[in-house]
Amino acid sequence: MKIVQTIVALALLAVTPAKGEGLDSLKICLQSGDSCMQQYNTFEALKHYQKAYDLAKKRSQEKAVEHLDLPLKQLNKLPKEKQNEIIERLKHSAEQSAIVDCAVQMKLADCYYKRANYRQVIELLKTIPEDSLSHESFRQLAQSYKKQSDLDSYVFWTSQLLARFPMDGEMVAGLTLAYAQLEQPQNGIKCGQQYFAVDSTNVEVNRALADAYFMDRQFGKSSLMYERLLAQGDSTFNTLYSAGMSCSRIDSLEQAYNYLQLAFLVSGMKHSGCAYRLGVVCVDTQRYPEGLNYLSLAKELMLPDTTIMKAITLSEGEGYYLTHKYEEAVAAWKEHLLYNPSSVATYYNIANAYAYLLKDEEQGRAYYQQFVEKAAEVDKPTEKLSEMIEKTKEMLRVYELREKFKARKK
C-alpha cells in the first residue's frame, strides 16, 4: 500500500503547479487577446488566445490527474512495474478526457470564426456541452457547418439552437431554407410557420417561408406571402421575380406581368430568366409584339461570354487532340471559330487534322484554302506563320496534282 501511495504522490507532484502559477499567465493571455479583438486584429489575437487555450488545457489536465481516483486495493496486489504501467495509462486517459475551460474555447473559436477557419471552430465548439454554449458560439457552430456546405449538420445544430432560442429569426430563416435545399420544404414550412405564428413581421423569415411554399409547389400560399413582403416594403429583385413566378403558376397572369416587369427593371434589364418569363407571360396575355421583343432580348442575354468561350473551346480542342480524339478536336476548333473567326492558326489545325489524321482530303483542302485566305489578311506575318503558309501552299499543290492525275485517268 505504501508503495502505491508513494508512486501516486510522486506522480501528482510532477504535474501539480505551485499555488497561483499559470493562473496569472492565463488571465494575461486572455486580456491581451481581448484587447487585440477590440482593435479587429485577429492575427495577433489568435496567438494570445491559442496560448491561453494551451495553458487552460494544461491546467485542466493537471486537475484531472490530481483528482484521479486510483483503484489502490487492486493496484497493491500487482508487481511494481505493472502498477507504474497502469498508473501512467490512467493518467493519460484522465488528461485526454480533461475538459478545457469553455470560456477560453469560445474565445478562441470566435477568433477562428472571424478568420473564416470554420473547421477549427467546429473542432473547438462541438465538444462543449450545449447548455454551456453562449448564443453567439452556438450560432457560430451551426453557421460553420453551413459555410462548409454540410447542410445536414447545419440543420441538426440549428434545430438544437432554436430549441433554446426559438425567436432567433435569422436562424429560423436559415433553417427553413436549408430544409428546402435538402428537398424537405414541408419541414421548412413547419419551422417558418411556428415563428410566423408569434411574429408575422420578420422580413427574413417571411422570405424563407415564401420560398419554402414555392419549393413545395404551394403557389397560392407563396404568392400571398410574396405580396405580404411587398407590402412590407421588400421590393428586391428576388421578391418581385418570385411573386411574378408564383402568380404565373396560378394563372394570375396580369399580376405576374406586373411583378415580372418590375423585376426586370430592377435587374437593370439584364436578367435573362426574367426576360424569358416575361416574354412567355406577354404571349399568354396576347401582348404579342412586346412578348416577342422580350424573348428576343432573353436570347441575346443568354449568349455565353465570348472571351470565356474562346478560351474554353481552344482548350477543348487541344485536350481532345492530345488524347487522340481527333473528330472531337476538330468539332471544338470549329466552335472556337464561331467566337474567334480571325484565328488563323485554328484553320491550319483543322486542315492538318483532316489531311493527316482523319484522311478527309476534301475537308482538308477546303480548310487549307480558308487558312491561306485568312493568312493573306495578316499585315506582318511572323516567321512561324510564313512557314505555315509555305507548307499549306505545298499541300494545295499536291491536291491540285492529284486532281489532274485523276482527270487524265478518266
Side-chain angles (χ1 to χ4, degrees), residues 210-266:
D211 289 345
Y213 278 132
F214 189 90
M215 291 287 290
D216 202 40
R217 305 186 67 80
Q218 297 187 47
F219 301 119
K221 289 184 178 180
S222 67
S223 64
L224 290 174
M225 189 59 70
Y226 288 126
E227 286 175 14
R228 172 184 283 273
L229 284 163
L230 291 167
Q232 288 181 275
D234 178 27
S235 55
T236 59
F237 168 79
N238 285 336
T239 297
L240 287 165
Y241 181 58
S242 298
M245 291 291 291
S246 294
C247 289
S248 69
R249 296 299 182 92
I250 57 173
D251 293 328
S252 183
L253 297 182
E254 286 301 320
Q255 278 285 71
Y257 171 75
N258 292 330
Y259 289 140
L260 289 172
Q261 193 175 54
L262 285 171
F264 193 51
L265 291 172
V266 169

Side-chain angles (χ1 to χ4, degrees), residues 57 59-65 93-100:
K57 186 175 183 180
R59 282 180 58 199
S60 66
Q61 289 175 338
E62 290 168 351
K63 283 185 178 180
V65 173
S93 178
E95 288 174 350
Q96 292 299 309
S97 59
I99 298 172
V100 181

Side-chain angles (χ1 to χ4, degrees), residues 84-137:
N84 288 336
E85 181 187 335
I86 293 173
I87 289 171
E88 286 302 317
R89 196 184 304 156
L90 291 171
K91 278 172 54 185
H92 179 72
S93 178
E95 288 174 350
Q96 292 299 309
S97 59
I99 298 172
V100 181
D101 187 295
C102 296
V104 177
Q105 283 187 252
M106 287 189 283
K107 283 181 181 288
L108 180 56
D110 177 56
C111 192
Y112 274 125
Y113 188 82
K114 288 179 170 62
R115 294 174 62 79
N117 194 332
Y118 304 117
R119 183 183 62 81
Q120 285 291 95
V121 176
I122 291 168
E123 289 301 313
L124 285 164
L125 297 181
K126 70 181 182 181
T127 58
I128 298 177
E130 291 175 25
D131 57 0
S132 297
L133 282 170
S134 68
H135 176 239
E136 185 60 24
S137 292

Side-chain angles (χ1 to χ4, degrees), residues 98-301:
I99 298 172
V100 181
D101 187 295
C102 296
V104 177
Q105 283 187 252
M106 287 189 283
K107 283 181 181 288
L108 180 56
D110 177 56
C111 192
Y112 274 125
Y113 188 82
K114 288 179 170 62
R115 294 174 62 79
N117 194 332
Y118 304 117
R119 183 183 62 81
Q120 285 291 95
V121 176
I122 291 168
E123 289 301 313
L124 285 164
L125 297 181
K126 70 181 182 181
T127 58
I128 298 177
E130 291 175 25
D131 57 0
S132 297
L133 282 170
S134 68
H135 176 239
E136 185 60 24
S137 292
F138 219 145
R139 282 169 60 101
Q140 289 176 349
L141 175 58
Q143 295 286 17
S144 292
Y145 280 111
K146 185 178 182 180
K147 298 281 188 181
Q148 295 194 121
S149 301
D150 185 348
L151 280 184
D152 288 319
S153 296
Y154 171 75
V155 164
F156 171 78
W157 285 105
T158 304
S159 299
Q160 298 299 102
L161 182 151
L162 291 175
R164 286 181 62 197
F165 308 102
M167 293 308 292
D168 186 340
E170 184 181 351
M171 299 305 287
V172 170
L175 182 57
T176 301
L177 289 175
Y179 274 126
Q181 287 177 273
L182 291 171
E183 298 183 0
Q184 301 171 36
Q186 66 283 356
N187 290 333
I189 290 168
K190 184 179 178 181
C191 174
Q193 282 177 334
Q194 287 176 345
Y195 183 96
F196 184 82
V198 180
D199 174 12
S200 62
T201 62
N202 188 308
V203 171
E204 192 169 13
V205 173
N206 290 351
R207 279 180 188 165
L209 186 53
D211 289 345
Y213 278 132
F214 189 90
M215 291 287 290
D216 202 40
R217 305 186 67 80
Q218 297 187 47
F219 301 119
K221 289 184 178 180
S222 67
S223 64
L224 290 174
M225 189 59 70
Y226 288 126
E227 286 175 14
R228 172 184 283 273
L229 284 163
L230 291 167
Q232 288 181 275
D234 178 27
S235 55
T236 59
F237 168 79
N238 285 336
T239 297
L240 287 165
Y241 181 58
S242 298
M245 291 291 291
S246 294
C247 289
S248 69
R249 296 299 182 92
I250 57 173
D251 293 328
S252 183
L253 297 182
E254 286 301 320
Q255 278 285 71
Y257 171 75
N258 292 330
Y259 289 140
L260 289 172
Q261 193 175 54
L262 285 171
F264 193 51
L265 291 172
V266 169
S267 77
M269 302 181 72
K270 292 180 180 179
H271 194 281
S272 58
C274 189
Y276 166 69
R277 294 293 177 183
L278 185 52
V280 170
V281 169
C282 283
V283 170
D284 289 344
T285 54
Q286 299 182 5
R287 296 177 171 91
Y288 300 120
E290 185 179 358
L292 291 171
N293 284 335
Y294 281 127
L295 291 172
S296 176
L297 181 57
K299 283 175 64 178
E300 289 181 27
L301 292 170

